[in-house]
Amino acid sequence: MKLLIDEQKLTAEIEDLANFSDADPPAVTRIVFTPTDLQARDWIRARCEEAGLRIRQDAIGNTFARWNGEEPDALAVGTGSHIDAIPNAGKYDGVVGVLGGLEAIRALRRAGFRPRHSIELLIFTSEEPTRFGIGCLGSRLLAGALSPDDARKLTDKDGASIEDVRRQVGLDGSLEQVKLPEGYYKAFVELHIEQGPLLEREQVPLGVVECIAAPASLRITIEGAGGHAGGVLMPDRRDALCAAAELILALEHAAKTSGAIDTVATVGICDVFPGAVNSIPARVRLSVDLRDTDLSRRDSVLKALESASRATAAKREVAIHSELLNADAPAESGPEIVAALSQACLQHGFAHKIMTSRAYHDSLFISRIAPVAMLFIPCRNGYSHRPDEYSTPEDIERGTLVLAETLATLAS
Ligand code: GLV
Ligand code: MN
Ligand code: MN
């Protein structure tokens, strides 16, 4: 079978999808269930229908585009990723796995391939935590890693619940129906940009992921006492932002001294109330993102943060409340999919590296119900989650070709 990737069409589609954005180009912002996200979803659905795929959408908006195999009742082979984008992001995160997955399917059809197992492109809802505070919302529900009851408790910053938001956009099925049965997928493969610098630095064009690091996230609220920035003397203050600063540095210290370079901690949101230049911060909300390849090391940093919180609360006479939003286990790839990906690389003479994903992905949760693996392509300077994120058309084409080859092996 001679597989040809239509690189020009794929590149044009990546550019077209980037136009559905709430940020000025080249930045992309596409938050789940905003009008922009809904338009992007319609556009993707039309591309999938054009390719002859049958579309199904579940109650949280996960979209399945299926190419029926010759044995339609056999377990499906899945591929896909997400199209939501954090504020001020780039064009490639998630999108390469969705549009590359679609082009891989089109290439297989053009080559006359007839799959025995159905091949399904899956576009996950809200891989990014921007709106509801938790990443991989769609895949957590698909895998049963988040219960419908816990999902119903999630709200966005305006207090709108998932139930309200999804009903407003016409998703009125029950969340109980989202979970996939064990054994729905024979295998799941996700193509993605690396979001780190290793492939580019080592000049290796492809990465086959054998493990996805364990993510955790917390929301921390610090309550101090506000007051007049001129009138309240320093010894009398209970400044919530100064307490937050201590906590942020304690977290950084714990991550840097964990004993491994794999521990990474970030405070990406700091909301200060009331937020006036001449008013002492009375309340601060922090969002913490903590990851590691080793679960116990990740959890020891969580413990260090808890003890720093107790010490800071006592010393500064502030109240600190910490809410753990998620603390997930790492995922191991399925050896048979890693082998199929490696074999496809070898077959085309492409060097590849077996590697760890430090970013999380929907595959982390799909791994709980099916064997998964991921294929990484380089991205310039390792940049991601920023507007200058970039992967070359050649790297995207190469990744799509290896994905198509691997889907063919798995679906035969
Ligand atoms: C995914 O977007 C991540 O934050 O790893
Ligand atoms: Mn992302
Ligand atoms: Mn992603």
Side-chain angles (χ1 to χ4, degrees):
M1 177 176 58
K2 178 85 182 130
L3 279 173
L4 289 174
I5 302 303
D6 189 342
E7 174 254 298
Q8 281 186 359
K9 179 168 181 157
L10 179 51
T11 302
E13 285 178 337
I14 292 171
E15 293 301 317
D16 286 348
L17 185 51
N19 290 326
F20 298 98
S21 167
D22 289 320
D24 290 333
V28 176
T29 298
R30 205 161 38 234
I31 312 297
V32 67
F33 297 146
T34 55
T36 303
D37 176 57
L38 297 176
Q39 286 165 16
R41 285 165 174 263
D42 287 347
W43 181 87
I44 288 271
R45 261 198 300 276
R47 301 287 76 71
C48 292
E49 275 162 4
E50 224 170 59
L53 305 180
R54 220 186 55 219
I55 313 279
R56 166 173 88 85
Q57 193 173 230
D58 69 16
I60 195 68
N62 291 311
T63 304
F64 303 75
R66 191 174 178 99
W67 177 14
N68 263 337
E70 289 180 340
E71 291 176 23
D73 295 333
L75 305 187
V77 172
T79 189
S81 195
H82 61 99
I83 62 160
D84 62 322
I86 66 165
N88 205 39
K91 294 177 190 163
Y92 301 89
D93 174 8
V95 166
V96 165
V98 171
L99 291 175
L102 176 59
E103 175 55 21
I105 290 174
R106 289 187 303 226
L108 287 166
R109 286 171 90 99
R110 284 195 298 269
F113 177 71
R114 306 270 296 271
R116 188 157 76 83
H117 295 261
S118 300
I119 297 183
E120 207 170 62
L121 177 70
L122 180 38
I123 302 142
F124 295 98
T125 287
S126 197
E127 191 266 354
E128 302 292 5
T130 315
R131 182 153 186 186
F132 293 105
I134 187 166
C136 301
L137 179 58
S139 52
R140 282 178 197 272
L141 283 163
L142 286 172
L146 175 70
S147 70
D149 279 344
D150 285 342
R152 283 189 273 265
K153 289 180 201 144
L154 299 172
T155 54
D156 68 11
K157 68 173 178 4
D158 301 321
S161 73
I162 291 230
E163 287 304 74
D164 294 342
V165 173
R166 75 185 182 91
R167 294 234 152 84
Q168 269 159 21
V169 303
L171 295 168
D172 43 18
S174 150
L175 288 184
E176 270 70 15
Q177 288 161 2
V178 173
K179 184 173 176 340
L180 291 175
E182 184 98 23
Y184 179 91
Y185 282 122
K186 175 185 180 230
F188 188 87
V189 201
E190 183 172 357
L191 172 66
H192 208 282
I193 60 168
E194 181 197 346
Q195 304 185 286
L198 300 182
L199 292 174
E200 186 185 58
R201 198 176 285 164
E202 296 171 26
Q203 298 192 332
V204 180
L206 292 161
V208 174
V209 172
E210 61 172 356
C211 164
I212 304 176
S217 61
L218 301 94
R219 221 179 259 142
I220 300 180
T221 308
I222 302 156
E223 301 268 3
H228 195 286
V232 183
L233 294 175
M234 298 312 279
D236 299 330
R237 292 193 182 199
R238 293 163 51 222
D239 183 321
L241 186 56
C242 292
E246 267 187 23
L247 270 194
I248 294 170
L249 292 177
L251 174 66
E252 184 193 44
H253 178 74
K256 278 183 157 172
T257 55
S258 76
I261 196 80
D262 291 326
T263 317
V264 285
T266 308
V267 176
I269 301 179
C270 176
D271 285 331
V272 180
F273 180 83
V277 66
N278 54 354
S279 180
I280 299 164
R283 185 174 66 237
V284 169
R285 286 222 174 89
L286 301 178
S287 289
V288 174
D289 178 307
L290 173 63
R291 311 175 189 211
D292 205 315
T293 48
D294 182 271
L295 194 57
S296 61
R297 201 168 48 217
R298 197 263 330 261
D299 288 344
S300 70
V301 175
L302 277 178
K303 289 219 165 57
L305 182 60
E306 275 167 27
S307 77
S309 297
R310 281 193 298 273
T312 298
K315 189 174 88 185
R316 291 185 167 270
E317 295 179 48
V318 294
I320 301 183
H321 172 73
S322 193
E323 186 192 357
L324 185 64
L325 299 176
N326 64 287
D328 303 299
E332 300 288 329
S333 296
E336 64 285 18
I337 314 180
V338 169
L341 284 163
S342 303
Q343 179 54 36
C345 292
L346 281 176
Q347 187 183 327
H348 287 274
F350 302 145
H352 69 282
K353 173 184 167 67
I354 301 289
M355 62 191 299
T356 294
S357 172
R358 293 168 194 286
Y360 59 70
H361 301 280
D362 293 299
S363 292
L364 180 70
F365 294 98
I366 298 303
S367 76
R368 302 194 184 182
I369 51 165
V372 302
M374 295 187 69
L375 180 65
F376 277 177
I377 59 167
C379 54
R380 188 173 60 197
N381 299 326
Y383 291 166
S384 184
H385 284 185
R386 41 188 280 179
D388 49 359
E389 175 179 278
Y390 180 71
S391 289
T392 66
E394 298 71 37
D395 281 328
I396 296 171
E397 179 181 7
R398 199 179 290 115
T400 303
L401 177 61
V402 169
L403 175 66
E405 215 50 271
T406 305
L407 291 175
T409 304
L410 296 169
S412 293

